[in-house]
Amino acid sequence: QMWEEAIALGKELAEQYENEMFDYEQLSELLRKQAQFYENIVKVIRPKPDYFAVGYYGQGFPTFIRNKVFIYRGKEYERREDFEARLLTQFPNAEKMKTTSPPGDDIKNSSGQYIQCFTVKPKLDLPSKFHRPVSEQIVSFYRVNEVQRFEYSRPVRKGEKNPDNEFANMWIERTIYVTAYKLPGILRWFEVKSVFMVEISPLENAIETMQLTNDKINNMVQQHLNDPNLPINPLSMLLNGIVDPAVMGGFTNYEKAFFTEKYMHEHPEDHDKIEKLKDLIAWQIPFLAEGIRIHGEKVTEALRPFHERMEACFKQLKDKVEKQYGSRTVLSSLDDRRGSRPRSMVRSFTMPSSSRPLSVASVSSISSDSTPSRPGSDGFVLEPLLPKKMHSRSQDKLDKDDLDKDKKEKKKEKRNSKHQEIFDKEFKSTDISLQQSEAVILSETISPLRPQRPKSQVINVISTERRFSVSPSPPGSQVTPPPITPRTKLSFSIQSNLELNGMSSSDIPDVPPPLPLKGSMADYGNLMESQDLISPTTSPPAHQRVSP
């Protein structure tokens, strides 16, 4: 399901098909596959595998993994317990470590085998082509693929413990692992080449947590807008955990820990960070409002009381946040996301080609064959395409015919509708054009009524000229030479009883023999004529030469 990688390889292959091999059939098939890959990226939800850091400590391991840390890519929906069980089957004598902190030298130099395994989070590294916000469905691939940096966060408490608010002194010790190559690659695991550690303050941790929560709400809202058939349970749990203060406490703990005068007096350098945290809290309200709206549209009757309680809690939360931190609106982003079709597609559907009338020039070009252009084109009359003189003659002829008719028919003719008049005019123009076409056909085609060539006529082709040679006629017969047509193309009727004028091979001059006559040169019109048309008294013409 790594369709992004398949598209990259497909583009490279398409370049070969299009510009090197000119195999357009393979190119069309490849482009159809790429179109399906793009559609899958947007519509198909892919599972996100987990990544695990595995350390092999002790002198009992082989040298290529001894005292080294590797990042493994787990299988789809594989939990850490299942991965550890699969890992320990390869080293049955190894001992699993209970802590995630780096071991001391005593463990590294011991003769035993110690395996340390814990889950790490891949760090998103978007390609440079994504220079503007894009859909979460597109970005989600790069959250778990083409990643080289991984982090592991471990909470550390500093200072006095506050029983009322644990967020005030909870620091985060974050370890960053950088692998030798990006995962996944040719292997599902690569060695860690560098490790460094950073500390996150409680306020920075609160800002990061609020940012992740807002992104999670926004992403789930976008998924439900794109696919209305998604189940509602994950959305219900997410919204209820944030809106209902009895579940997780919400951001009230942040207000108690960081928005006090004591904290601001002790940490004046954190003023900008506090303002940023307030801004994130205010931005959470429109995201929650959109999520609750979608939840209300999809909730079942059994969960209606649960939804009403959630709406009541959200109303109180909204009033409080807007009073303290201001109001935020995300109409532009959410409205754009709500539309499932781009503007270009909507424009194409609202402008069908059938509603656009054809111009007069296009109608006249379509109907130049004196036939009605299309149903409903009665307003375009084809009279101007015909000569005025011929049209007036035909009109006079029809007028004379109308005078000979009965008065009742004449009155009925006057009451004809406009469509009937146009039909009459088109019928007259069609009649005139048919007469013209018949005259053209008679002058341009070979007349089939010319006299049939006698059966005894033979062909004599010598050197580069084509000549007719006929055998002598029997005595007492009339001579009727065939008419010479003005056409330059001659077609010959070759029958089975023709012979070469009685000439032997010795009488033929020493020239190369002519090419055999093609079968397509035969006059099929003469072959198909009935033999009854041939007069029995007609004898073959006298021996003469006819030049083409």
Side-chain angles (χ1 to χ4, degrees):
Q1 290 186 338
M2 298 183 67
W3 298 305
E4 288 80 357
E5 304 295 338
I7 289 173
L9 295 177
K11 290 180 179 178
E12 185 177 348
L13 190 57
E15 178 71 18
Q16 296 292 321
Y17 284 148
E18 183 176 6
N19 299 322
E20 298 293 338
M21 300 173 61
F22 304 101
D23 192 344
Y24 289 173
E25 185 176 356
Q26 291 289 339
L27 177 62
S28 63
E29 182 180 355
L30 181 64
L31 293 179
R32 281 192 292 268
K33 288 183 179 179
Q34 287 190 17
Q36 184 63 44
F37 293 157
Y38 279 112
E39 186 177 358
N40 293 343
I41 290 174
V42 178
K43 294 185 177 180
V44 179
I45 298 179
R46 291 174 278 189
K48 298 180 179 180
D50 292 331
Y51 285 90
F52 308 102
V54 180
Y56 301 93
Y57 302 105
Q59 300 297 319
F61 286 109
T63 56
F64 71 96
I65 61 172
R66 184 184 303 167
N67 295 330
K68 293 182 180 179
V69 181
F70 298 85
I71 301 295
Y72 283 77
R73 177 186 172 98
K75 297 180 180 180
E76 295 180 357
Y77 306 108
E78 186 177 27
R79 300 178 302 170
R80 182 174 59 86
E81 293 79 6
D82 299 333
F83 175 77
E84 289 178 349
R86 184 162 58 91
L87 192 65
L88 291 174
T89 55
Q90 302 177 11
F91 304 98
N93 298 326
E95 181 181 348
K96 178 186 172 183
M97 297 178 62
K98 303 296 183 180
T99 62
T100 59
S101 57
D105 293 338
D106 54 343
I107 294 180
K108 292 181 179 179
N109 297 328
S110 66
S111 59
Q113 294 180 347
Y114 298 90
I115 292 181
Q116 186 183 57
C117 180
F118 51 90
T119 305
V120 292
K121 181 181 177 182
K123 195 158 184 66
L124 175 64
D125 186 15
L126 272 178
S128 58
K129 63 181 180 179
F130 296 111
H131 57 275
R132 58 179 297 271
V134 294
S135 173
E136 174 62 23
Q137 193 72 5
I138 299 175
V139 178
S140 61
F141 171 80
Y142 299 97
R143 296 189 185 277
V144 292
N145 295 284
E146 297 186 10
V147 286
Q148 198 170 359
R149 300 177 64 188
F150 304 85
E151 59 185 30
Y152 173 74
S153 301
R154 188 166 60 94
V156 177
R157 299 192 180 277
K158 294 183 180 181
E160 296 180 1
K161 183 177 180 181
N162 188 354
D164 296 335
N165 193 346
E166 60 181 5
F167 295 98
N169 57 359
M170 187 174 67
W171 291 67
I172 300 296
E173 187 180 87
R174 181 164 296 165
T175 306
I176 309 296
Y177 301 91
V178 182
T179 57
Y181 307 98
K182 290 185 177 181
L183 280 168
I186 193 172
L187 298 176
R188 297 181 69 94
W189 56 292
F190 286 123
E191 182 183 354
V192 174
K193 288 299 183 181
S194 63
V195 182
F196 58 94
M197 186 182 300
V198 295
E199 284 189 347
I200 308 297
S201 67
L203 181 57
E204 292 174 347
N205 182 33
I207 293 174
E208 188 176 304
T209 304
M210 283 297 301
Q211 184 66 55
L212 292 176
T213 304
N214 290 355
D215 292 343
K216 191 173 183 180
I217 300 172
N218 190 18
N219 294 338
M220 189 164 291
V221 167
Q222 183 178 350
Q223 290 178 6
H224 280 270
L225 289 175
N226 294 334
D227 188 3
N229 298 323
L230 288 178
I232 197 177
N233 293 337
L235 182 63
S236 302
M237 295 174 60
L238 177 64
L239 296 176
N240 190 52
I242 298 172
V243 171
D244 194 350
V247 179
M248 294 181 63
F251 49 81
T252 308
N253 293 326
Y254 297 150
E255 296 176 340
K256 295 178 180 179
F258 309 115
F259 295 170
T260 61
E261 294 182 359
K262 179 182 177 181
Y263 185 87
M264 292 181 181
H265 180 71
E266 294 177 354
H267 304 86
E269 70 278 1
D270 291 344
H271 177 73
D272 294 338
K273 296 179 181 178
I274 291 175
E275 293 299 324
K276 184 177 182 180
L277 180 59
K278 291 180 179 180
D279 187 63
L280 289 173
I281 293 174
W283 272 108
Q284 193 178 76
I285 298 302
F287 295 141
L288 289 173
E290 186 67 15
I292 290 177
R293 184 192 67 80
I294 296 175
H295 189 272
E297 294 176 354
K298 302 176 66 173
V299 71
T300 59
E301 291 300 326
L303 294 176
R304 181 63 61 180
F306 167 76
H307 177 75
E308 292 176 354
R309 168 174 169 75
M310 193 163 58
E311 279 186 331
C313 294
F314 173 70
K315 187 177 184 302
Q316 298 177 0
L317 181 66
K318 180 180 178 182
D319 295 340
K320 175 188 174 183
V321 171
E322 289 183 351
K323 183 179 179 180
Q324 295 182 358
Y325 310 118
S327 176
R328 305 289 190 275
T329 56
V330 288
L331 293 177
S332 59
S333 61
L334 287 178
D335 287 348
D336 291 343
R337 265 186 225 108
R338 196 174 302 163
S340 60
R341 188 178 292 121
R343 290 183 179 179
S344 60
M345 295 179 65
V346 176
R347 191 179 301 116
S348 66
F349 284 115
T350 56
M351 294 179 60
S353 59
S354 59
S355 64
R356 187 178 70 245
L358 292 175
S359 62
V360 178
S362 61
V363 171
S364 60
S365 62
I366 292 174
S367 58
S368 59
D369 55 348
S370 302
T371 59
S373 59
R374 55 190 170 92
S377 62
D378 298 336
F380 299 98
V381 185
L382 302 180
E383 289 179 355
L385 299 179
L386 298 173
K388 289 184 177 180
K389 201 169 186 181
M390 298 175 64
H391 177 71
S392 61
R393 287 178 181 177
S394 60
Q395 187 67 35
D396 296 337
K397 183 179 179 181
L398 289 176
D399 291 338
K400 292 179 182 179
D401 295 339
D402 292 337
L403 292 175
D404 297 337
K405 290 182 179 180
D406 192 55
K407 293 182 179 181
K408 293 182 181 180
E409 293 180 357
K410 190 173 181 180
K411 292 180 180 180
K412 187 177 180 180
E413 186 70 18
K414 289 182 179 180
R415 290 195 301 266
N416 279 343
S417 63
K418 182 180 179 181
H419 298 286
Q420 185 64 30
E421 294 175 0
I422 294 173
F423 175 78
D424 294 337
K425 293 176 182 178
E426 290 178 351
F427 176 78
K428 298 164 193 174
S429 61
T430 307
D431 188 19
I432 296 172
S433 64
L434 285 176
Q435 293 178 1
Q436 291 179 344
S437 63
E438 287 178 359
V440 171
I441 293 175
L442 289 174
S443 62
E444 289 294 327
T445 57
I446 300 176
S447 175
L449 300 177
R450 64 186 180 186
Q452 177 77 15
R453 290 193 183 93
K455 294 183 178 181
S456 59
Q457 181 178 352
V458 295
I459 300 170
N460 185 14
V461 183
I462 301 176
S463 70
T464 60
E465 296 182 0
R466 296 181 180 178
R467 301 174 180 176
F468 284 141
S469 175
V470 296
S471 57
S473 58
S477 64
Q478 297 179 356
V479 178
T480 57
I484 300 175
T485 59
R487 295 187 54 81
T488 58
K489 245 184 191 181
L490 294 179
S491 55
F492 304 103
S493 175
I494 305 176
Q495 299 182 4
S496 59
N497 57 354
L498 296 182
E499 57 186 13
L500 283 176
N501 200 20
M503 294 181 64
S504 63
S505 59
S506 59
D507 298 334
I508 301 176
D510 191 10
V511 293
L515 293 174
L517 295 176
K518 294 182 179 180
S520 61
M521 295 292 292
D523 191 350
Y524 293 106
N526 291 338
L527 289 176
M528 296 299 295
E529 288 179 357
S530 176
Q531 296 297 329
D532 297 337
L533 297 177
I534 304 175
S535 175
T537 59
T538 303
S539 59
H543 183 74
Q544 58 179 330
R545 295 176 181 175
V546 182
S547 299

